[in-house]
mmCIF file of all heavy atoms in Angstrom:
data_model
loop_
_atom_site.group_PDB
_atom_site.id
_atom_site.type_symbol
_atom_site.label_atom_id
_atom_site.label_comp_id
_atom_site.label_asym_id
_atom_site.label_seq_id
_atom_site.Cartn_x
_atom_site.Cartn_y
_atom_site.Cartn_z
ATOM 1 N N MET P 39 -4.372 46.147 11.933
ATOM 2 C CA MET P 39 -5.679 45.515 11.772
ATOM 3 C C MET P 39 -6.289 45.204 13.129
ATOM 4 O O MET P 39 -5.597 44.865 14.093
ATOM 5 C CB MET P 39 -5.542 44.218 10.959
ATOM 6 C CG MET P 39 -4.959 44.401 9.580
ATOM 7 S SD MET P 39 -4.740 42.823 8.690
ATOM 8 C CE MET P 39 -6.449 42.361 8.399
ATOM 9 N N GLU P 40 -7.618 45.328 13.186
ATOM 10 C CA GLU P 40 -8.328 44.924 14.390
ATOM 11 C C GLU P 40 -8.466 43.408 14.430
ATOM 12 O O GLU P 40 -8.230 42.724 13.438
ATOM 13 C CB GLU P 40 -9.708 45.588 14.430
ATOM 14 C CG GLU P 40 -9.650 47.111 14.499
ATOM 15 C CD GLU P 40 -11.032 47.720 14.598
ATOM 16 O OE1 GLU P 40 -11.999 46.955 14.818
ATOM 17 O OE2 GLU P 40 -11.152 48.959 14.452
ATOM 18 N N GLN P 41 -8.900 42.906 15.575
ATOM 19 C CA GLN P 41 -8.964 41.450 15.749
ATOM 20 C C GLN P 41 -9.916 40.798 14.766
ATOM 21 O O GLN P 41 -9.595 39.755 14.183
ATOM 22 C CB GLN P 41 -9.381 41.115 17.182
ATOM 23 C CG GLN P 41 -9.432 39.600 17.463
ATOM 24 C CD GLN P 41 -9.579 39.304 18.936
ATOM 25 O OE1 GLN P 41 -8.830 39.819 19.756
ATOM 26 N NE2 GLN P 41 -10.563 38.482 19.280
ATOM 27 N N TRP P 42 -11.079 41.404 14.549
ATOM 28 C CA TRP P 42 -12.054 40.803 13.642
ATOM 29 C C TRP P 42 -11.538 40.815 12.205
ATOM 30 O O TRP P 42 -11.829 39.898 11.423
ATOM 31 C CB TRP P 42 -13.394 41.521 13.732
ATOM 32 C CG TRP P 42 -13.426 42.914 13.147
ATOM 33 C CD1 TRP P 42 -13.172 44.084 13.783
ATOM 34 C CD2 TRP P 42 -13.723 43.251 11.788
ATOM 35 N NE1 TRP P 42 -13.283 45.149 12.915
ATOM 36 C CE2 TRP P 42 -13.632 44.660 11.686
ATOM 37 C CE3 TRP P 42 -14.062 42.507 10.656
ATOM 38 C CZ2 TRP P 42 -13.868 45.342 10.493
ATOM 39 C CZ3 TRP P 42 -14.292 43.187 9.458
ATOM 40 C CH2 TRP P 42 -14.207 44.584 9.388
ATOM 41 N N GLU P 43 -10.739 41.831 11.853
ATOM 42 C CA GLU P 43 -10.186 41.897 10.507
ATOM 43 C C GLU P 43 -9.130 40.805 10.295
ATOM 44 O O GLU P 43 -9.064 40.202 9.218
ATOM 45 C CB GLU P 43 -9.562 43.273 10.269
ATOM 46 C CG GLU P 43 -10.572 44.398 10.223
ATOM 47 C CD GLU P 43 -9.928 45.753 10.091
ATOM 48 O OE1 GLU P 43 -8.936 46.013 10.801
ATOM 49 O OE2 GLU P 43 -10.401 46.582 9.277
ATOM 50 N N VAL P 44 -8.324 40.561 11.327
ATOM 51 C CA VAL P 44 -7.325 39.494 11.229
ATOM 52 C C VAL P 44 -8.009 38.148 11.057
ATOM 53 O O VAL P 44 -7.637 37.338 10.197
ATOM 54 C CB VAL P 44 -6.419 39.482 12.481
ATOM 55 C CG1 VAL P 44 -5.481 38.284 12.441
ATOM 56 C CG2 VAL P 44 -5.619 40.775 12.569
ATOM 57 N N ASN P 45 -9.030 37.880 11.885
ATOM 58 C CA ASN P 45 -9.748 36.606 11.800
ATOM 59 C C ASN P 45 -10.458 36.450 10.465
ATOM 60 O O ASN P 45 -10.487 35.355 9.891
ATOM 61 C CB ASN P 45 -10.762 36.499 12.942
ATOM 62 C CG ASN P 45 -10.122 36.091 14.256
ATOM 63 O OD1 ASN P 45 -9.931 34.909 14.532
ATOM 64 N ND2 ASN P 45 -9.789 37.070 15.082
ATOM 65 N N LEU P 46 -11.026 37.540 9.947
ATOM 66 C CA LEU P 46 -11.708 37.481 8.657
ATOM 67 C C LEU P 46 -10.721 37.188 7.536
ATOM 68 O O LEU P 46 -10.994 36.369 6.644
ATOM 69 C CB LEU P 46 -12.444 38.794 8.393
ATOM 70 C CG LEU P 46 -13.230 38.882 7.072
ATOM 71 C CD1 LEU P 46 -14.341 37.841 7.051
ATOM 72 C CD2 LEU P 46 -13.804 40.282 6.880
ATOM 73 N N THR P 47 -9.569 37.844 7.553
ATOM 74 C CA THR P 47 -8.545 37.624 6.528
ATOM 75 C C THR P 47 -8.039 36.187 6.546
ATOM 76 O O THR P 47 -7.918 35.536 5.497
ATOM 77 C CB THR P 47 -7.366 38.588 6.744
ATOM 78 O OG1 THR P 47 -7.833 39.934 6.682
ATOM 79 C CG2 THR P 47 -6.304 38.384 5.676
ATOM 80 N N LEU P 48 -7.766 35.676 7.744
ATOM 81 C CA LEU P 48 -7.282 34.302 7.866
ATOM 82 C C LEU P 48 -8.343 33.302 7.408
ATOM 83 O O LEU P 48 -8.036 32.327 6.708
ATOM 84 C CB LEU P 48 -6.891 34.014 9.314
ATOM 85 C CG LEU P 48 -5.700 34.805 9.872
ATOM 86 C CD1 LEU P 48 -5.501 34.481 11.351
ATOM 87 C CD2 LEU P 48 -4.435 34.507 9.092
ATOM 88 N N SER P 49 -9.588 33.531 7.788
ATOM 89 C CA SER P 49 -10.668 32.606 7.425
ATOM 90 C C SER P 49 -10.893 32.588 5.922
ATOM 91 O O SER P 49 -11.017 31.518 5.306
ATOM 92 C CB SER P 49 -11.970 32.999 8.147
ATOM 93 O OG SER P 49 -11.810 32.946 9.542
ATOM 94 N N HIS P 121 -3.129 39.649 18.314
ATOM 95 C CA HIS P 121 -4.570 39.425 18.425
ATOM 96 C C HIS P 121 -4.846 37.932 18.541
ATOM 97 O O HIS P 121 -4.066 37.102 18.056
ATOM 98 C CB HIS P 121 -5.323 39.977 17.212
ATOM 99 C CG HIS P 121 -5.377 41.471 17.156
ATOM 100 N ND1 HIS P 121 -5.777 42.242 18.214
ATOM 101 C CD2 HIS P 121 -5.080 42.339 16.147
ATOM 102 C CE1 HIS P 121 -5.737 43.528 17.878
ATOM 103 N NE2 HIS P 121 -5.312 43.605 16.624
ATOM 104 N N SER P 122 -5.967 37.598 19.144
ATOM 105 C CA SER P 122 -6.387 36.201 19.211
ATOM 106 C C SER P 122 -6.970 35.776 17.869
ATOM 107 O O SER P 122 -7.746 36.525 17.256
ATOM 108 C CB SER P 122 -7.441 36.024 20.320
ATOM 109 O OG SER P 122 -7.998 34.733 20.269
ATOM 110 N N ILE P 125 -11.148 32.295 16.683
ATOM 111 C CA ILE P 125 -12.303 32.122 15.796
ATOM 112 C C ILE P 125 -11.859 31.581 14.443
ATOM 113 O O ILE P 125 -12.459 30.649 13.894
ATOM 114 C CB ILE P 125 -13.055 33.449 15.636
ATOM 115 C CG1 ILE P 125 -13.678 33.873 16.971
ATOM 116 C CG2 ILE P 125 -14.135 33.340 14.564
ATOM 117 C CD1 ILE P 125 -14.385 35.208 16.927
#
Side-chain angles (χ1 to χ4, degrees):
M39 301 177 69
E40 297 182 11
Q41 182 169 309
W42 71 269
E43 292 176 315
V44 174
N45 280 275
L46 181 63
T47 301
L48 295 176
S49 299
H121 289 309
S122 171
I125 294 177

